[in-house]
Structures are given as C-alpha cells and as structure tokens.
Amino acid sequence: MTRPMSLRVQLLVLQVSIVLVTVVTAGVASSWFQERELREAYKNRMISVAESIASMPAILNAFDDDDPAETIQPIAEVIRQASNVTYVVVTDADGIRYSHPNESRIGKRVSTDPSVPLSGEMYVGTQTGTLGESWRVKVPVFHRDEVIGTVSVGMLESMLDEALVADTLQLVIVLSIAAGLGVLGSAWATRVIRRRIYSLEPEEIAALLETRDAMLHGIREGIVAVDDRQRIALINDEARRLLDLDDEHYVGRAAADVLEIAVLELVDEGDVDERLILAGHRVLIAHSDRVSVPSGPTASVLILRDHTHLHEMLRELEGVQSLAEGLRAQAHEFSNQLHVISGLIELGHMDEAVAIIERTNGGGTLNGDSAHPGIVDLEVSALLISLDARARERAIALDIDPQSSLRDLSESLDARIDVLTVVGNLIENALDACDLGGTVNVSIRDDSGCVVVVSDDGEGVPDELAQRIFDTGVSTKTSANGRRGIGLALVRRIARRRGGDVTVAAEPGGGSTFTAVLANVNTLAALQGSVS
C-alpha cells in the first residue's frame, strides 16, 4: 500500500504551489503590461518625431526644390539617429521617397500603402516594408491645408522584442528571488505549524478530538472549564443537564451569563475541595481546580456530580425506616409499661395494673391514621413519626396540629419527594434550634395547596441573617466545608418551583416560624394520578 503523504509534505507542497502560481501569474501579467507600456512609449516617441519633421520649415521648403532629397535626407538621418528609431522616411504626394536609411531606395516609391496619411489622417500599426516588419507611425505633411507628402517613422519589431526580453530578464531575476524567498518562508511556516500541533498528523488530531468528545460527553460527571478571561472554554452534556442549560452554544460566552452565582463563586476561589452547592433545584457536589498548559492560559475546571438522586433516595429511605424508628420508640415505651404492669401484678395491685392497661388504649398499632389522622400519605406520616421519636430522644416536644391534612401523594413521586424534603428540612432545623425541653409545632394543610408551618421556641433567627437565611451557604449553625446552609435554600427553591414561596417570622416570646407554600402540589398529583 502507498503510504499517505505526511502533513508536513502536504503543507510544503501546497504553499510552494501557491507561491509559484502567484509568482508566475504576476510575472506574466507584468510582462504583458510592460510590453504595452514599451509600445506606448515608442509610439509616443515616433509620433513626436514624425509630427516635428512634418512641420519643420526646412522640410516644407525643400519640397519646392529641384532635388528635395538633397536637403531632406541629411535632416532625416540626424533626427533618426538622435531619436533612436529604425528609419525616418519622407515622401511626396505620390509616395516617392526623399529620405531612407538605405540611400539606394531614395527616389523610389514606398512599398506600403500611403493612402491613410495622404488622406490627412495619422496611421499607427505594424507593417512589413523593405527593412522588415516594423511598428510604425505615418503622418501627413500639410502646406496651406493641402497634403503634399508623408512622414513615416518606425521601429523594427525585432528591436522591440530585444528591448522587451532585456526588461523581462530583469523581471524574471526579481521574481525568481521572490519565489525562492517564498519557498523558504513556506518551509519555515510548515515547521512552525508542525511544532505548534506537536507533529501530529490530521488523522491523529481527528482521533484525539473524537476521543476527547467521547470521554467528555460520555462520563457521568459534569465538567465546565472557564478560561482566564472568565469565558466558558468547555462544557459537556452532563454539566448542561445538571445546570439546566438548554442551549448547546455556550463556549466563548461569559461565565457570569451562564453559571449561577454559587457555581461562579467556585471559579473565583480557584482550588476548592468537594463542596455541596445548589444549582436550580439540584444539590450538587462540586470540585474546582486551577489547571494550566504550556501553550495556553490558566483555566478553572469544575467537576460537578449530582447529589440530588442520593438526597432523594435518603428521603425515601427515611420514609421506609421511619416505621422501624416508630416501632422502636413505641417498643421502648411499651417495654417500660410492661415492666410496670408486671411489677404491679407481682405486688398484688391488680386494679392499678388494669388501669394502666386501659390507659394504653390499644396504642400498639402503628399506622398513619393513629399517628396523625389527617396525614393520609404514608411516607410523610412515617417521616413525622420518625422525627417525633428523634425529638423525644432529645427531650423536645414535637406537637403535630391535629387539624393537619395531606392527601395521598403516591401517584406523584416528584410531589411526594418535594413535600418530604420541605417537611424534613424545616422540622430538623427547628429541632436543632431548640434546647432541652423545647417545643416544635407543626401544621400541614393541603386545602388549595400544601402549606407547611413549623415553629419553635429556640433562640430564633438573628436580625442580620433574617434577610439572607434562605441563601445558599447561610446558616445559624457552624459551617463545615460548605455542608451547611443547604436545607433552607433547597426549601425555597422547591417552593418557588411549585408556584409558592417560604417565609420566616420571629415569635414574640422567642423562636421562629417558617411557612412554606407549595401551591401546585395537589394539582400536579391529581393530574398525574388521573393519567395513571
């Protein structure tokens, strides 16, 4: 098989061909223009010579002499030699020569047609005479408005060709030097280009680009590269999905116009370890590094991983495990009661034992109705039972409003996850805000939408944080590696995505009340349920 031509040879051949074609074209055009200018210059010279001879008084007076040639021939020869033309021929009205470089032809009729100048017009053209083919000018000789003769001045075509060849030779030398310099420049340019592309062949470059695209767009992590001018240098498909970017043409645009503030801050910070951030309604694990290459500027590379699915799985797992948590808490309580009943029976206090049994009122059954009658959704009810168990372990009272109500959200997984996220985050924050013996009040209503109200009697939100408590990274608790200040920010994004919002208000006796409104949860759940 024939080995394909290397890129270096291709570039050199291409550039040399371009140089040679350009030089040859320029040479041909220059030679053509030079020939025209040369002929035009000789034509102007011959016209000047011919007209000056035709108007000389000595020449006009000589036409009346017995031997006009005796006067005209010397004058014509002097002018011919001085003007560097091949011949100067003066004739009478019959075409009889009075002057000629070859004196033997004086007195004879001219060999070419003199009708044009004899008619009073000037003739310019190429004709073949006794001296050969020549470029000539013929003008009439007037005396009192009458044509009495002609003056013909010419240059042999061979002399014109010699002059043109001499000039062309100089042009060829100059163009050859230019072509040589062009070839040397092409070789140097080819070497520079090869060095800039690391001596790679086109198929190798194509393979690298294909491999890079396959890797960037095939991995499950989102990658965003921002150059030193704060412009997007690279962004893969997963990054566009995680950042909710629909358009594909982001490369070259300003990073501030594309990325959210939380993501853009990581770019400004440079090297950043893994940190939880909010982008849209997603919780992302972000990692930022500064990178540089020898031939390019420094850039920041962001690696984004979706933490939302893990967050949602944990919420679902909490819903499943909450039953076990509730059972464990109730088993602990019933175990204590059984010990008390057993002790009373052994002591012979049967009536007291019966009274304790009656007070339990069959409370060993664990279901959504017995725990929170209005909370029909099983997973939300289970979450509340689990949080109630945690609250009791921390000596905090979790008071669920008996008027609370929430329909079954099993037909809308997204709506259920959003409600679990909002309820869980608000109650956990309230539990963290309370001291021992504190109280957390919870109310959930779904009359025209889902409204979650959680209040506590803790220290409350400081005034300086009240306006920023829902911003990402803002928290009343100690921040560690960016893992605080996510819950409330996520609650606000979910509420706004659901057509509502979340607010905070200070309680008169201390503590805070958070109200989250998810306006279209029930509507979406009902629609999805009807489709199912």
Side-chain angles (χ1 to χ4, degrees):
M1 294 181 62
T2 304
R3 185 177 180 181
M5 187 182 299
S6 66
L7 179 61
R8 181 175 183 178
V9 175
Q10 292 181 40
L11 288 175
L12 184 59
V13 170
L14 181 61
Q15 292 182 87
V16 169
S17 300
I18 293 174
V19 169
L20 293 180
V21 169
T22 303
V23 169
V24 171
T25 303
V28 172
S30 299
S31 178
W32 181 71
F33 284 118
Q34 192 168 10
E35 180 184 10
R36 291 188 60 185
E37 291 178 358
L38 183 65
R39 285 185 175 274
E40 189 68 20
Y42 274 110
K43 184 185 78 170
N44 293 334
R45 182 191 302 178
M46 291 187 297
I47 291 174
S48 298
V49 171
E51 289 180 344
S52 63
I53 292 175
S55 60
M56 289 181 63
I59 298 295
L60 295 176
N61 295 332
F63 272 83
D64 296 330
D65 294 345
D66 295 335
D67 186 9
E70 184 177 356
T71 303
I72 295 175
Q73 172 67 9
I75 298 174
E77 283 298 301
V78 171
I79 294 176
R80 179 184 69 83
Q81 295 175 2
S83 59
N84 193 26
V85 294
T86 302
Y87 63 85
V88 174
V89 176
V90 180
T91 69
D92 61 9
D94 297 325
I96 304 301
R97 300 186 185 97
Y98 289 154
S99 66
H100 195 277
N102 186 354
E103 294 184 0
S104 61
R105 297 189 179 277
I106 297 176
K108 298 180 180 180
R109 183 177 175 80
V110 294
S111 58
T112 58
D113 183 16
S115 59
V116 173
L118 290 176
S119 65
E121 301 292 333
M122 179 188 297
Y123 171 81
V124 178
T126 301
Q127 292 180 333
T128 301
T130 57
L131 298 177
E133 187 178 19
S134 61
W135 173 248
R136 61 184 64 188
V137 172
K138 295 180 180 180
V139 298
V141 178
F142 290 97
H143 179 66
R144 296 176 182 176
D145 298 329
E146 180 183 355
V147 178
I148 61 174
T150 65
V151 177
S152 177
V153 179
M155 289 283 299
L156 289 176
E157 289 286 347
S158 58
M159 294 180 62
L160 289 173
D161 292 340
E162 290 177 1
L164 180 62
V165 168
D167 292 342
T168 303
L169 181 61
Q170 297 178 358
L171 178 63
V172 169
I173 294 174
V174 173
L175 292 178
S176 299
I177 294 174
L181 294 176
V183 171
L184 293 177
S186 299
W188 174 80
T190 301
R191 184 177 180 183
V192 171
I193 293 173
R194 288 278 293 170
R195 187 164 57 246
R196 293 291 297 273
I197 62 174
Y198 300 98
S199 300
L200 295 175
E201 295 298 321
E203 57 274 10
E204 294 175 330
I205 297 174
L208 286 176
L209 290 175
E210 291 173 354
T211 303
R212 189 201 73 160
D213 288 342
M215 293 177 60
L216 287 176
H217 299 293
I219 60 178
R220 295 182 62 89
E221 285 77 17
I223 297 179
V224 181
V226 180
D227 61 21
D228 58 344
R229 297 183 300 167
Q230 295 297 299
R231 296 185 178 276
I232 301 294
L234 182 148
I235 183 168
N236 68 348
D237 294 340
E238 182 65 9
R240 288 199 298 267
R241 185 187 72 83
L242 294 177
L243 300 176
D244 293 327
L245 302 176
D246 298 329
D247 189 5
E248 295 184 358
H249 305 289
Y250 288 104
V251 175
R253 293 176 57 180
D257 298 337
V258 178
L259 304 179
E260 293 192 23
I261 296 177
V263 182
L264 195 61
E265 287 177 352
L266 295 180
V267 176
D268 297 334
E269 291 183 27
D271 294 336
V272 177
D273 293 333
E274 289 188 349
R275 176 183 300 178
L276 286 178
I277 63 172
L278 281 179
H281 62 280
R282 289 187 174 90
V283 181
L284 305 179
I285 299 178
H287 176 78
S288 175
D289 283 315
R290 284 280 186 180
V291 296
S292 60
V293 293
S295 60
T298 302
S300 293
V301 176
L302 300 178
I303 300 177
L304 308 173
R305 286 181 292 164
D306 194 357
H307 191 263
T308 307
H309 68 282
L310 178 59
H311 186 77
E312 293 172 354
M313 290 174 63
L314 290 175
R315 285 297 181 192
E316 292 181 18
L317 182 60
E318 285 181 356
V320 175
Q321 290 179 337
S322 60
L323 293 175
E325 291 283 346
L327 288 172
R328 183 187 64 80
Q330 289 195 4
H332 181 73
E333 295 176 1
F334 291 150
S335 176
N336 292 334
Q337 292 177 1
L338 287 175
H339 285 302
V340 173
I341 294 171
S342 175
L344 290 174
I345 292 173
E346 289 181 4
L347 293 175
H349 298 281
M350 299 301 179
D351 295 337
E352 287 80 357
V354 171
I356 292 177
I357 292 173
E358 290 176 349
R359 285 200 303 270
T360 60
N361 195 24
T365 304
L366 180 64
N367 53 48
D369 293 335
S370 63
H372 310 291
I375 307 298
V376 178
D377 188 81
L378 181 61
E379 292 192 12
V380 176
S381 180
L383 174 62
L384 293 175
I385 293 174
S386 175
L387 293 172
D388 184 53
R390 294 183 195 176
R392 287 198 303 269
E393 290 177 353
R394 297 166 64 174
I396 299 174
L398 181 60
D399 185 10
I400 308 297
D401 185 358
Q403 301 300 320
S404 295
S405 62
L406 181 65
R407 63 178 295 168
D408 184 12
L409 300 176
S410 59
E411 298 295 340
S412 175
L413 180 59
D414 291 339
R416 170 179 279 176
I417 291 174
D418 285 347
V419 173
L420 287 172
T421 301
V422 171
V423 172
N425 276 304
L426 291 181
I427 294 179
E428 285 179 354
N429 282 348
L431 293 176
D432 290 339
C434 289
D435 297 327
L436 292 177
T439 301
V440 174
N441 297 307
V442 179
S443 173
I444 302 175
R445 299 294 181 90
D446 66 346
D447 299 332
S448 58
C450 184
V451 179
V452 181
V453 181
V454 178
S455 61
D456 62 77
D457 56 1
E459 295 183 357
V461 179
D463 294 338
E464 62 273 12
L465 294 181
Q467 300 298 324
R468 300 186 297 113
I469 193 63
F470 297 106
D471 294 341
T472 304
V474 178
S475 175
T476 58
K477 294 169 280 190
T478 304
S479 176
N481 197 24
R483 297 186 182 273
R484 293 291 188 184
I486 297 292
L488 290 179
L490 185 58
V491 168
R492 183 174 66 174
R493 295 199 180 192
I494 291 175
R496 290 182 175 178
R497 181 160 54 88
R498 291 290 180 180
D501 207 343
V502 59
T503 58
V504 60
E507 291 294 324
S512 303
T513 297
F514 288 84
T515 303
V517 179
L518 283 68
N520 58 3
V521 167
N522 292 337
T523 303
L524 181 60
L527 288 174
Q528 293 187 355
S530 62
V531 172
S532 301

